[in-house]
Every structure is written in C-alpha cells, then in structure tokens.
Amino acid sequence: MAVTTRLTWLHEKIVQNHFGGKRLSLLYKSSVHGFYSGDLLDRCCNQGPTLTVIYGEHHIIGAYAEESYQERKSASIILFALQETKISEWKLGLCTPERLFCYDNIQYNSTTNFQIELGNRKVIMGSKTTEDLGLVQNCTISIQDCEVFRCEDLLDERKIKGATELRKSLLSALRTYEPYGSLVPQIRILLLGPVGAGKSSFFNSVRSVFQGHVTHQALVGTNRTGISEKYRTYSIRDGKDGKYLPFILCDSLGLGEKEGGLCRDDIFYILNGNIRDRYQFNPMESIKLGHRDYIDSPSLKDRIHCVAFVFDTNSVEHFSSQMIVKIKRLRRELINAGVVHVALLTHVDSMDLITKGDLIEIDRCVPLRSKLEEVQRKLGFALSDVSVVSNYSSEWELDPVKDVLILSALRRMLWAADDFLEDLPLEEEGIKERKLSSVHKEEN
C-alpha cells in the first residue's frame, strides 16, 4: 500500500511556496518505517535538500535542510512552525544530522536549541526557539508522527522539456487542423462572458503563441469596465509561414448585470452570422434590419460554430444572481438552437498559492478543482467542457507552460465546433452531403 503524507493540500502548498517552490517526495514516515533515528538517516541521507515534518497533538513543526544530510557533516537548518494558514521560521544554523535526530545518544544541550528524539517520541526546544516560532511556552512536544521529504524543484529541466514537446505537438495539430468535412474554411468561435473576464486577452494570447512573441492587437480593459465595444472577428496568421490559421476568434461586448452589456438579440444575430466585423454595439438596442453592418443572407461559413463562455476564475463565486440567471438562460437558448458551447476560466495563475509548477499539472490542483466544480454547480457546465488558461498580460516572453494551456483550450473549442458541423440539422444536409462528397472524390 502506498505511503501517504498527513499534510493537507493547503499546508503542503504553504510549505512548498515558503521554501522556494519545491516538490515534496516522501522518503520516511515514522508510523510506517519505525521511530528510530538510524532508520530515518538510512533513508534520508544523501537525498539532497530535505524537509522534516513533526506532527504533535497541537502543533506541526519541522526542519528544512538546505543541503543533503551526510554522516557527521553539518547542514544549514531552518526550523518552521505551521499554524493554520501561517508559517513562521527560525534559523537554527549548522547542525549534523546525528545531533538533530539524537542519533548515537547525542543528548540535547542548551547550545543545540532543538532536537528530535524519535526513540522517546518527543521534540525538545529551547524557550527562545519556542518563542521565535510563535508557539506557546512548551519546550517539549510529543511526536505523533514524523515525515521526511526530499525537496526538488517543481519545474525541473525534465518537466520544462515535456511542456516544450507538448507545445510543439499542439502547434502542429492546430496548424494542420481541418474543419469537419471541410464544410467551412475556418471555424468561428464566439468569446462570450462578463465584462473584464479576459476575452480579448485570450485572443491576444492565442495570437502571441502562433506569432512566436507576446502581442496585444486587441485592446484590453480593466476587470470593472472592459474595453470591447465593437464586434471583432480576428483571423490569425501563422508566424511560421504567414498563412491564415483555420479558425477565427470573435470578440464582443461583455455581458452586463441585469439589462446592461451585450443585447440578447445581438447575440443571436452574431450566432446566425448577421453581423459584420467592426459593428459598433449599442447596449440599449440591438442591430436593425437594413443597417450597413447587417448581413441579410449569411452562409454557413459566416455563422458561429462554437461559443466559449469566458469567466474570471476568481469572480465565479461572486457572480450575482442576475448574472447566473443570464448565463443559464443563454445556455438553454444555445442548447435549443443546437449551438455547442464550452467554458474557459482565465486568471488561474492569480489564485492564492497557485504557482507555475501547478500549471504544469493542473488536474492535480485542489483549489482549481473546487473552482471547476463551482462552475458546474452554479452554471451547469460539464467538467469536461471547462478549460483553464493563464493569459499573457504583463509578460515580455512566451512561456511553454502557459502556451500548453492556451493551445489545449483552443483545441477543445475546435473539437466542439466539429461536433456542431457533424450534427447540422436536416435542412442543411444538402450542403453537408455535397461537401462531404467532394472531399471523398478528392481523397480517391
């Protein structure tokens, strides 16, 4: 049976971040491997930097060794104490592992200030150490369990290389993507969501990845006001060969509270392909028939093939009842109209305690999983239809980890669009059959 830690996810993240973003790999657990210092040192010496965690009845304390434990050699030790969501530390200084863990009956003395006596199941501390760690004046702590972890960089060279390879694979797949049955030359994806959710930033981020450098073609506003007042349809050129990519990202006025923001009727004119690029929205009324930016007879290529609802990860829990009702109503109407839609959570990197290392293993991130479940519970999206991204905002250089999230989200949108094209209603089967027939002839 696998040996697991007693640390909660929150406490593990606090410790990881406090000591420079480390991955913790469990080497020793006294309740499994025995309360004997010799066994601990056999397992934990020559393992690189290590973190020892002591679980008492009322306290969690520990020691971080900045260098590898080696027999009879001193290592720099930092003591710490975890209390709810706070961590305090005190630099013990140089200490041999034998003295720290009371091996060979090296007894505690006033110059040591801290000693872990596994055999006696207790930790002895000087009063100054206890005070500096913010603990109650109790110089002895009974040990319920003791764990020692190897500390490794969360983003080592191997993981960065893996993200770079995945980025390359995703770029290749998206560059060579063809819409289902070649029914349309480019997939149109409508970005829809509250004001300031990150719709324009997502377009800028997608464009940046394909251009090979950070760009800001679409103006970006603040979380409170947003900036998109026109309907924009953005085709993106591939920086590699200059050709247009097989998708168009469509940006619009944000959804406002109550009756503010994008008009409901305008949304369905956009879906049907009736509105031209650069149409100036009027929050008070929808576009009128006969307007110079109104398209009377749009074709399938003008229509929206996938809708991506864009939400700020940190704002979902604060949505008003009006906004929730508006989004749910829109989803019901999209379902009735046969339009596929997905959800995109932005600003994931601004969540508390989230580090770059979490972005590379996003599925294992506990607080993010709770956000996804909140989107499912409040708005009704299936978990499999929700993607997360960290948009480019203030960065100067591209990051392969961010790129993988951005490209993965885009790929999911294109898959959804293929579902829409494959499931076209009967009245469009004629178009569909002619297109598919021509494709089969070309293949033969």
Side-chain angles (χ1 to χ4, degrees):
M1 189 172 69
V3 181
T4 58
T5 178
R6 286 179 55 166
L7 281 175
T8 65
W9 183 91
L10 178 60
H11 281 158
E12 185 172 348
K13 289 303 299 180
I14 291 172
V15 171
Q16 283 179 331
N17 293 350
H18 186 79
F19 291 110
K22 302 295 183 182
R23 172 184 295 280
L24 304 181
S25 301
L26 189 59
L27 297 172
Y28 166 86
K29 187 180 182 75
S30 60
S31 58
V32 174
H33 301 117
F35 286 83
Y36 178 55
S37 299
D39 290 337
L40 182 152
L41 295 178
D42 286 344
R43 288 178 172 272
C44 303
C45 279
N46 303 308
Q47 293 286 344
T50 55
L51 185 85
T52 301
V53 181
I54 303 291
Y55 302 90
E57 185 177 358
H58 303 293
H59 303 95
I60 299 177
I61 62 172
Y64 174 63
E66 296 178 301
E67 302 92 24
S68 185
Y69 287 135
Q70 296 184 49
E71 186 178 351
R72 308 295 177 185
K73 290 187 177 181
S74 295
S76 180
I77 305 295
I78 299 174
L79 305 179
F80 67 90
L82 272 171
Q83 300 181 74
E84 296 182 352
T85 60
K86 295 181 180 180
I87 186 170
S88 55
E89 72 166 49
W90 185 74
K91 292 186 178 179
L92 179 65
L94 294 175
C95 184
T96 66
E98 290 83 5
R99 181 170 293 280
L100 180 65
F101 294 102
C102 192
Y103 184 62
D104 286 346
N105 295 316
I106 298 178
Q107 296 300 312
Y108 172 85
N109 60 61
S110 59
T111 61
T112 306
N113 289 318
F114 184 91
Q115 195 166 53
I116 302 168
E117 297 185 4
L118 275 180
N120 296 322
R121 300 197 183 194
K122 65 181 180 180
V123 176
I124 304 175
M125 289 182 284
S127 57
K128 182 69 166 63
T129 305
T130 304
E131 180 182 349
D132 287 343
L133 289 175
L135 303 175
V136 294
Q137 293 299 314
N138 182 358
C139 296
T140 302
I141 294 177
S142 297
I143 300 175
Q144 294 184 342
D145 209 345
C146 171
E147 297 176 344
V148 183
F149 302 85
R150 180 174 56 245
C151 299
E152 305 165 297
D153 289 336
L154 277 170
L155 280 176
D156 56 24
E157 185 177 344
R158 178 177 58 84
K159 288 187 173 62
I160 291 293
K161 183 178 179 181
T164 303
E165 290 293 327
L166 180 54
R167 175 187 183 275
K168 182 178 178 181
S169 174
L170 287 166
L171 277 171
S172 176
L174 292 169
R175 282 170 172 148
T176 57
Y177 164 81
E178 293 184 6
Y180 173 79
S182 297
L183 297 180
V184 293
Q186 290 174 294
I187 292 295
R188 285 184 178 247
I189 301 167
L190 174 62
L191 304 177
L192 199 61
V195 173
K199 301 183 296 296
S200 300
S201 294
F202 178 67
F203 158 71
N204 285 335
S205 298
V206 172
R207 186 172 186 270
S208 296
V209 178
F210 283 98
Q211 288 294 307
H213 58 88
V214 177
T215 68
H216 297 287
Q217 180 179 344
L219 297 178
V220 178
T222 66
N223 287 341
R224 294 185 299 275
T225 62
I227 203 164
S228 300
E229 295 181 350
K230 292 183 177 181
Y231 177 58
R232 292 306 318 272
T233 59
Y234 294 111
S235 290
I236 299 175
R237 288 185 184 273
D238 187 356
K240 186 176 181 180
D241 57 18
K243 294 181 180 178
Y244 280 114
L245 292 160
F247 55 85
I248 297 172
L249 296 179
C250 305
D251 195 9
S252 63
L253 190 65
L255 300 175
E257 299 286 348
K258 298 181 180 179
E259 298 304 319
L262 186 62
C263 288
R264 174 178 171 275
D265 288 342
D266 275 342
I267 295 174
F268 289 94
Y269 283 131
I270 292 171
L271 294 176
N272 291 329
N274 295 115
I275 297 182
R276 292 185 204 282
D277 181 32
R278 299 182 187 273
Y279 166 68
Q280 180 76 42
F281 289 109
N282 181 350
M284 304 307 296
E285 62 179 10
S286 63
I287 193 170
K288 301 296 183 184
L289 300 180
H291 191 284
R292 67 176 183 274
D293 289 325
Y294 184 86
I295 300 173
D296 289 314
S297 302
S299 62
L300 180 60
K301 68 179 180 61
D302 300 313
R303 290 171 57 180
I304 296 298
H305 311 116
C306 172
V307 172
F309 282 90
V310 183
F311 306 123
D312 182 339
T313 305
N314 300 294
S315 299
V316 174
E317 62 184 296
H318 304 298
F319 277 175
S320 67
S321 57
Q322 293 97 328
M323 180 59 72
I324 292 174
V325 168
K326 178 175 283 191
I327 293 169
K328 282 187 170 182
R329 184 176 68 239
L330 275 173
R331 289 197 65 236
R332 285 196 301 271
E333 292 172 343
L334 289 174
I335 292 170
N336 291 335
V339 179
V340 294
H341 52 282
V342 296
L344 182 68
L345 295 185
T346 63
H347 303 118
V348 64
D349 53 333
S350 66
M351 292 174 60
D352 290 342
L353 297 176
I354 297 298
T355 65
K356 186 176 175 181
D358 293 306
L359 300 183
I360 209 166
E361 294 181 328
I362 207 77
D363 293 339
R364 298 176 59 184
C365 184
V366 173
L368 181 59
R369 190 158 60 242
S370 69
K371 293 287 186 181
L372 296 176
E373 290 169 353
E374 190 169 27
V375 171
Q376 180 187 44
R377 184 177 66 256
K378 282 190 172 182
L379 305 175
F381 287 90
L383 292 178
S384 59
D385 289 335
V386 185
S387 300
V388 298
V389 296
S390 171
N391 287 330
Y392 287 106
S393 55
S394 59
E395 297 84 355
W396 293 97
E397 300 292 336
L398 295 179
D399 183 306
V401 176
K402 283 195 170 193
D403 291 354
V404 165
L405 293 179
I406 292 163
L407 295 173
S408 297
L410 178 60
R411 181 178 61 175
R412 183 170 291 183
M413 295 173 193
L414 295 177
W415 286 344
D418 280 342
D419 290 340
F420 167 78
L421 293 175
E422 187 177 3
D423 196 37
L424 282 173
L426 292 175
E427 59 267 24
E428 299 191 40
E429 282 295 321
I431 299 174
K432 184 174 174 181
E433 289 298 331
R434 288 196 298 274
K435 287 279 188 178
L436 290 174
S437 176
S438 65
V439 169
H440 292 322
K441 288 179 180 178
E442 290 175 6
E443 291 176 348
N444 294 329

mmCIF file of all heavy atoms in Angstrom, residues 388-421:
data_model
loop_
_atom_site.group_PDB
_atom_site.id
_atom_site.type_symbol
_atom_site.label_atom_id
_atom_site.label_comp_id
_atom_site.label_asym_id
_atom_site.label_seq_id
_atom_site.Cartn_x
_atom_site.Cartn_y
_atom_site.Cartn_z
ATOM 1 N N VAL A 388 -8.963 25.735 -18.581
ATOM 2 C CA VAL A 388 -8.372 26.818 -17.795
ATOM 3 C C VAL A 388 -7.148 27.356 -18.529
ATOM 4 O O VAL A 388 -6.421 26.599 -19.185
ATOM 5 C CB VAL A 388 -7.971 26.358 -16.382
ATOM 6 C CG1 VAL A 388 -9.182 25.891 -15.607
ATOM 7 C CG2 VAL A 388 -6.931 25.256 -16.436
ATOM 8 N N VAL A 389 -6.935 28.678 -18.426
ATOM 9 C CA VAL A 389 -5.779 29.294 -19.076
ATOM 10 C C VAL A 389 -5.181 30.365 -18.180
ATOM 11 O O VAL A 389 -5.834 30.887 -17.279
ATOM 12 C CB VAL A 389 -6.129 29.930 -20.441
ATOM 13 C CG1 VAL A 389 -6.573 28.894 -21.445
ATOM 14 C CG2 VAL A 389 -7.158 31.024 -20.282
ATOM 15 N N SER A 390 -3.947 30.666 -18.464
ATOM 16 C CA SER A 390 -3.269 31.822 -17.891
ATOM 17 C C SER A 390 -2.883 32.699 -19.065
ATOM 18 O O SER A 390 -1.929 32.406 -19.789
ATOM 19 C CB SER A 390 -2.031 31.365 -17.098
ATOM 20 O OG SER A 390 -1.250 32.465 -16.697
ATOM 21 N N ASN A 391 -3.653 33.777 -19.292
ATOM 22 C CA ASN A 391 -3.406 34.649 -20.438
ATOM 23 C C ASN A 391 -2.131 35.459 -20.262
ATOM 24 O O ASN A 391 -1.681 35.717 -19.146
ATOM 25 C CB ASN A 391 -4.582 35.618 -20.629
ATOM 26 C CG ASN A 391 -5.820 34.946 -21.179
ATOM 27 O OD1 ASN A 391 -5.725 33.968 -21.923
ATOM 28 N ND2 ASN A 391 -6.985 35.452 -20.822
ATOM 29 N N TYR A 392 -1.569 35.891 -21.381
ATOM 30 C CA TYR A 392 -0.443 36.818 -21.327
ATOM 31 C C TYR A 392 -0.976 38.223 -21.058
ATOM 32 O O TYR A 392 -1.882 38.694 -21.745
ATOM 33 C CB TYR A 392 0.333 36.791 -22.648
ATOM 34 C CG TYR A 392 1.151 35.529 -22.817
ATOM 35 C CD1 TYR A 392 0.757 34.528 -23.704
ATOM 36 C CD2 TYR A 392 2.302 35.329 -22.064
ATOM 37 C CE1 TYR A 392 1.502 33.368 -23.840
ATOM 38 C CE2 TYR A 392 3.051 34.170 -22.196
ATOM 39 C CZ TYR A 392 2.649 33.194 -23.087
ATOM 40 O OH TYR A 392 3.383 32.039 -23.210
ATOM 41 N N SER A 393 -0.434 38.869 -20.041
ATOM 42 C CA SER A 393 -0.891 40.223 -19.702
ATOM 43 C C SER A 393 0.287 41.176 -19.548
ATOM 44 O O SER A 393 0.413 42.156 -20.283
ATOM 45 C CB SER A 393 -1.732 40.192 -18.418
ATOM 46 O OG SER A 393 -1.009 39.578 -17.363
ATOM 47 N N SER A 394 1.182 40.864 -18.614
ATOM 48 C CA SER A 394 2.320 41.753 -18.370
ATOM 49 C C SER A 394 3.652 41.122 -18.765
ATOM 50 O O SER A 394 4.703 41.736 -18.592
ATOM 51 C CB SER A 394 2.357 42.140 -16.880
ATOM 52 O OG SER A 394 2.463 40.987 -16.066
ATOM 53 N N GLU A 395 3.613 39.905 -19.305
ATOM 54 C CA GLU A 395 4.854 39.205 -19.641
ATOM 55 C C GLU A 395 5.482 39.767 -20.927
ATOM 56 O O GLU A 395 4.789 40.281 -21.804
ATOM 57 C CB GLU A 395 4.597 37.704 -19.825
ATOM 58 C CG GLU A 395 4.106 36.998 -18.580
ATOM 59 C CD GLU A 395 2.615 37.104 -18.384
ATOM 60 O OE1 GLU A 395 1.953 37.821 -19.174
ATOM 61 O OE2 GLU A 395 2.118 36.475 -17.438
ATOM 62 N N TRP A 396 6.795 39.623 -21.018
ATOM 63 C CA TRP A 396 7.521 40.022 -22.224
ATOM 64 C C TRP A 396 7.888 38.818 -23.086
ATOM 65 O O TRP A 396 8.097 38.958 -24.290
ATOM 66 C CB TRP A 396 8.804 40.771 -21.839
ATOM 67 C CG TRP A 396 8.556 42.093 -21.187
ATOM 68 C CD1 TRP A 396 8.546 42.362 -19.854
ATOM 69 C CD2 TRP A 396 8.264 43.334 -21.842
ATOM 70 N NE1 TRP A 396 8.263 43.686 -19.628
ATOM 71 C CE2 TRP A 396 8.088 44.312 -20.826
ATOM 72 C CE3 TRP A 396 8.128 43.715 -23.171
ATOM 73 C CZ2 TRP A 396 7.797 45.639 -21.114
ATOM 74 C CZ3 TRP A 396 7.834 45.043 -23.461
ATOM 75 C CH2 TRP A 396 7.672 45.986 -22.442
ATOM 76 N N GLU A 397 7.984 37.655 -22.464
ATOM 77 C CA GLU A 397 8.412 36.461 -23.185
ATOM 78 C C GLU A 397 7.356 35.366 -23.081
ATOM 79 O O GLU A 397 6.606 35.292 -22.102
ATOM 80 C CB GLU A 397 9.737 35.930 -22.598
ATOM 81 C CG GLU A 397 10.893 36.913 -22.670
ATOM 82 C CD GLU A 397 11.367 37.174 -24.090
ATOM 83 O OE1 GLU A 397 11.139 36.296 -24.957
ATOM 84 O OE2 GLU A 397 11.979 38.238 -24.331
ATOM 85 N N LEU A 398 7.315 34.497 -24.086
ATOM 86 C CA LEU A 398 6.396 33.364 -24.073
ATOM 87 C C LEU A 398 6.884 32.309 -23.079
ATOM 88 O O LEU A 398 8.068 32.208 -22.788
ATOM 89 C CB LEU A 398 6.291 32.739 -25.464
ATOM 90 C CG LEU A 398 5.665 33.607 -26.559
ATOM 91 C CD1 LEU A 398 5.656 32.847 -27.881
ATOM 92 C CD2 LEU A 398 4.256 34.026 -26.189
ATOM 93 N N ASP A 399 5.943 31.540 -22.589
ATOM 94 C CA ASP A 399 6.224 30.502 -21.599
ATOM 95 C C ASP A 399 5.587 29.201 -22.085
ATOM 96 O O ASP A 399 4.380 29.166 -22.353
ATOM 97 C CB ASP A 399 5.628 30.915 -20.248
ATOM 98 C CG ASP A 399 5.929 29.925 -19.141
ATOM 99 O OD1 ASP A 399 5.618 28.726 -19.331
ATOM 100 O OD2 ASP A 399 6.446 30.318 -18.099
ATOM 101 N N PRO A 400 6.362 28.118 -22.238
ATOM 102 C CA PRO A 400 5.787 26.875 -22.782
ATOM 103 C C PRO A 400 4.655 26.304 -21.933
ATOM 104 O O PRO A 400 3.734 25.686 -22.467
ATOM 105 C CB PRO A 400 6.984 25.910 -22.828
ATOM 106 C CG PRO A 400 7.992 26.484 -21.884
ATOM 107 C CD PRO A 400 7.795 27.966 -21.939
ATOM 108 N N VAL A 401 4.697 26.522 -20.607
ATOM 109 C CA VAL A 401 3.638 26.010 -19.745
ATOM 110 C C VAL A 401 2.325 26.744 -20.014
ATOM 111 O O VAL A 401 1.267 26.133 -20.172
ATOM 112 C CB VAL A 401 4.034 26.137 -18.257
ATOM 113 C CG1 VAL A 401 2.892 25.683 -17.359
ATOM 114 C CG2 VAL A 401 5.289 25.325 -17.965
ATOM 115 N N LYS A 402 2.379 28.083 -20.109
ATOM 116 C CA LYS A 402 1.182 28.859 -20.445
ATOM 117 C C LYS A 402 0.677 28.495 -21.836
ATOM 118 O O LYS A 402 -0.532 28.365 -22.064
ATOM 119 C CB LYS A 402 1.489 30.354 -20.387
ATOM 120 C CG LYS A 402 1.564 30.933 -18.995
ATOM 121 C CD LYS A 402 1.509 32.456 -19.057
ATOM 122 C CE LYS A 402 1.335 33.031 -17.661
ATOM 123 N NZ LYS A 402 0.980 34.447 -17.690
ATOM 124 N N ASP A 403 1.606 28.346 -22.767
ATOM 125 C CA ASP A 403 1.224 28.036 -24.152
ATOM 126 C C ASP A 403 0.441 26.732 -24.236
ATOM 127 O O ASP A 403 -0.530 26.624 -25.001
ATOM 128 C CB ASP A 403 2.470 27.941 -25.037
ATOM 129 C CG ASP A 403 3.151 29.292 -25.244
ATOM 130 O OD1 ASP A 403 2.593 30.310 -24.788
ATOM 131 O OD2 ASP A 403 4.241 29.311 -25.854
ATOM 132 N N VAL A 404 0.852 25.727 -23.456
ATOM 133 C CA VAL A 404 0.157 24.434 -23.481
ATOM 134 C C VAL A 404 -1.292 24.596 -23.035
ATOM 135 O O VAL A 404 -2.209 24.030 -23.642
ATOM 136 C CB VAL A 404 0.895 23.409 -22.589
ATOM 137 C CG1 VAL A 404 0.013 22.195 -22.307
ATOM 138 C CG2 VAL A 404 2.189 22.962 -23.255
ATOM 139 N N LEU A 405 -1.537 25.387 -21.984
ATOM 140 C CA LEU A 405 -2.909 25.616 -21.525
ATOM 141 C C LEU A 405 -3.729 26.340 -22.582
ATOM 142 O O LEU A 405 -4.892 25.988 -22.845
ATOM 143 C CB LEU A 405 -2.901 26.435 -20.227
ATOM 144 C CG LEU A 405 -2.325 25.762 -18.980
ATOM 145 C CD1 LEU A 405 -2.372 26.718 -17.803
ATOM 146 C CD2 LEU A 405 -3.075 24.482 -18.645
ATOM 147 N N ILE A 406 -3.146 27.360 -23.197
ATOM 148 C CA ILE A 406 -3.850 28.158 -24.215
ATOM 149 C C ILE A 406 -4.195 27.290 -25.430
ATOM 150 O O ILE A 406 -5.337 27.297 -25.926
ATOM 151 C CB ILE A 406 -2.988 29.363 -24.625
ATOM 152 C CG1 ILE A 406 -2.871 30.349 -23.447
ATOM 153 C CG2 ILE A 406 -3.559 30.060 -25.850
ATOM 154 C CD1 ILE A 406 -1.749 31.353 -23.586
ATOM 155 N N LEU A 407 -3.221 26.539 -25.909
ATOM 156 C CA LEU A 407 -3.435 25.707 -27.098
ATOM 157 C C LEU A 407 -4.395 24.551 -26.811
ATOM 158 O O LEU A 407 -5.195 24.174 -27.673
ATOM 159 C CB LEU A 407 -2.101 25.176 -27.607
ATOM 160 C CG LEU A 407 -1.111 26.230 -28.120
ATOM 161 C CD1 LEU A 407 0.239 25.594 -28.431
ATOM 162 C CD2 LEU A 407 -1.657 26.941 -29.356
ATOM 163 N N SER A 408 -4.328 24.001 -25.607
ATOM 164 C CA SER A 408 -5.244 22.913 -25.242
ATOM 165 C C SER A 408 -6.686 23.414 -25.210
ATOM 166 O O SER A 408 -7.608 22.714 -25.647
ATOM 167 C CB SER A 408 -4.856 22.326 -23.881
ATOM 168 O OG SER A 408 -3.577 21.740 -23.924
ATOM 169 N N ALA A 409 -6.885 24.619 -24.678
ATOM 170 C CA ALA A 409 -8.231 25.206 -24.644
ATOM 171 C C ALA A 409 -8.752 25.445 -26.051
ATOM 172 O O ALA A 409 -9.917 25.162 -26.363
ATOM 173 C CB ALA A 409 -8.210 26.511 -23.852
ATOM 174 N N LEU A 410 -7.892 25.964 -26.930
ATOM 175 C CA LEU A 410 -8.289 26.208 -28.315
ATOM 176 C C LEU A 410 -8.640 24.900 -29.020
ATOM 177 O O LEU A 410 -9.634 24.821 -29.759
ATOM 178 C CB LEU A 410 -7.158 26.926 -29.052
ATOM 179 C CG LEU A 410 -7.385 27.216 -30.535
ATOM 180 C CD1 LEU A 410 -8.602 28.105 -30.751
ATOM 181 C CD2 LEU A 410 -6.137 27.872 -31.137
ATOM 182 N N ARG A 411 -7.850 23.874 -28.788
ATOM 183 C CA ARG A 411 -8.138 22.568 -29.402
ATOM 184 C C ARG A 411 -9.497 22.034 -28.953
ATOM 185 O O ARG A 411 -10.264 21.493 -29.770
ATOM 186 C CB ARG A 411 -7.037 21.570 -29.035
ATOM 187 C CG ARG A 411 -7.233 20.190 -29.644
ATOM 188 C CD ARG A 411 -6.099 19.254 -29.309
ATOM 189 N NE ARG A 411 -5.981 19.042 -27.872
ATOM 190 C CZ ARG A 411 -5.112 18.174 -27.321
ATOM 191 N NH1 ARG A 411 -4.299 17.473 -28.092
ATOM 192 N NH2 ARG A 411 -5.058 18.031 -26.014
ATOM 193 N N ARG A 412 -9.829 22.210 -27.683
ATOM 194 C CA ARG A 412 -11.131 21.751 -27.192
ATOM 195 C C ARG A 412 -12.264 22.501 -27.882
ATOM 196 O O ARG A 412 -13.310 21.928 -28.190
ATOM 197 C CB ARG A 412 -11.204 21.943 -25.673
ATOM 198 C CG ARG A 412 -12.487 21.434 -25.062
ATOM 199 C CD ARG A 412 -12.419 21.407 -23.545
ATOM 200 N NE ARG A 412 -11.490 20.391 -23.063
ATOM 201 C CZ ARG A 412 -11.291 20.116 -21.785
ATOM 202 N NH1 ARG A 412 -11.952 20.778 -20.852
ATOM 203 N NH2 ARG A 412 -10.443 19.184 -21.415
ATOM 204 N N MET A 413 -12.078 23.786 -28.137
ATOM 205 C CA MET A 413 -13.098 24.574 -28.844
ATOM 206 C C MET A 413 -13.287 24.070 -30.273
ATOM 207 O O MET A 413 -14.420 23.984 -30.773
ATOM 208 C CB MET A 413 -12.699 26.057 -28.864
ATOM 209 C CG MET A 413 -12.670 26.703 -27.488
ATOM 210 S SD MET A 413 -11.988 28.385 -27.565
ATOM 211 C CE MET A 413 -11.717 28.696 -25.807
ATOM 212 N N LEU A 414 -12.196 23.719 -30.936
ATOM 213 C CA LEU A 414 -12.292 23.216 -32.310
ATOM 214 C C LEU A 414 -12.967 21.846 -32.341
ATOM 215 O O LEU A 414 -13.741 21.554 -33.268
ATOM 216 C CB LEU A 414 -10.901 23.153 -32.939
ATOM 217 C CG LEU A 414 -10.201 24.508 -33.133
ATOM 218 C CD1 LEU A 414 -8.805 24.313 -33.703
ATOM 219 C CD2 LEU A 414 -11.018 25.426 -34.027
ATOM 220 N N TRP A 415 -12.689 21.025 -31.355
ATOM 221 C CA TRP A 415 -13.393 19.731 -31.274
ATOM 222 C C TRP A 415 -14.893 19.960 -31.106
ATOM 223 O O TRP A 415 -15.704 19.259 -31.722
ATOM 224 C CB TRP A 415 -12.857 18.926 -30.098
ATOM 225 C CG TRP A 415 -11.503 18.333 -30.296
ATOM 226 C CD1 TRP A 415 -10.837 18.181 -31.481
ATOM 227 C CD2 TRP A 415 -10.641 17.793 -29.289
ATOM 228 N NE1 TRP A 415 -9.617 17.590 -31.284
ATOM 229 C CE2 TRP A 415 -9.465 17.334 -29.944
ATOM 230 C CE3 TRP A 415 -10.735 17.645 -27.909
ATOM 231 C CZ2 TRP A 415 -8.405 16.750 -29.253
ATOM 232 C CZ3 TRP A 415 -9.683 17.055 -27.217
ATOM 233 C CH2 TRP A 415 -8.533 16.617 -27.875
ATOM 234 N N ALA A 416 -15.270 20.927 -30.284
ATOM 235 C CA ALA A 416 -16.688 21.232 -30.084
ATOM 236 C C ALA A 416 -17.314 21.731 -31.378
ATOM 237 O O ALA A 416 -18.456 21.376 -31.712
ATOM 238 C CB ALA A 416 -16.857 22.270 -28.971
ATOM 239 N N ALA A 417 -16.561 22.552 -32.120
ATOM 240 C CA ALA A 417 -17.074 23.051 -33.405
ATOM 241 C C ALA A 417 -17.283 21.910 -34.393
ATOM 242 O O ALA A 417 -18.258 21.911 -35.172
ATOM 243 C CB ALA A 417 -16.108 24.090 -33.976
ATOM 244 N N ASP A 418 -16.392 20.932 -34.383
ATOM 245 C CA ASP A 418 -16.574 19.758 -35.250
ATOM 246 C C ASP A 418 -17.864 19.013 -34.900
ATOM 247 O O ASP A 418 -18.571 18.522 -35.792
ATOM 248 C CB ASP A 418 -15.378 18.817 -35.123
ATOM 249 C CG ASP A 418 -14.187 19.271 -35.947
ATOM 250 O OD1 ASP A 418 -14.366 20.094 -36.858
ATOM 251 O OD2 ASP A 418 -13.061 18.806 -35.666
ATOM 252 N N ASP A 419 -18.161 18.940 -33.601
ATOM 253 C CA ASP A 419 -19.418 18.305 -33.183
ATOM 254 C C ASP A 419 -20.609 19.051 -33.760
ATOM 255 O O ASP A 419 -21.591 18.441 -34.202
ATOM 256 C CB ASP A 419 -19.515 18.281 -31.651
ATOM 257 C CG ASP A 419 -18.527 17.323 -31.015
ATOM 258 O OD1 ASP A 419 -18.039 16.423 -31.724
ATOM 259 O OD2 ASP A 419 -18.238 17.480 -29.807
ATOM 260 N N PHE A 420 -20.531 20.381 -33.764
ATOM 261 C CA PHE A 420 -21.612 21.199 -34.328
ATOM 262 C C PHE A 420 -21.781 20.923 -35.818
ATOM 263 O O PHE A 420 -22.905 20.724 -36.306
ATOM 264 C CB PHE A 420 -21.305 22.682 -34.098
ATOM 265 C CG PHE A 420 -22.174 23.619 -34.887
ATOM 266 C CD1 PHE A 420 -23.475 23.896 -34.488
ATOM 267 C CD2 PHE A 420 -21.706 24.218 -36.048
ATOM 268 C CE1 PHE A 420 -24.286 24.757 -35.219
ATOM 269 C CE2 PHE A 420 -22.504 25.077 -36.794
ATOM 270 C CZ PHE A 420 -23.796 25.343 -36.371
ATOM 271 N N LEU A 421 -20.680 20.907 -36.560
ATOM 272 C CA LEU A 421 -20.762 20.695 -38.009
ATOM 273 C C LEU A 421 -21.265 19.294 -38.341
ATOM 274 O O LEU A 421 -22.043 19.102 -39.284
ATOM 275 C CB LEU A 421 -19.388 20.918 -38.650
ATOM 276 C CG LEU A 421 -18.853 22.359 -38.621
ATOM 277 C CD1 LEU A 421 -17.436 22.414 -39.170
ATOM 278 C CD2 LEU A 421 -19.765 23.297 -39.409
#
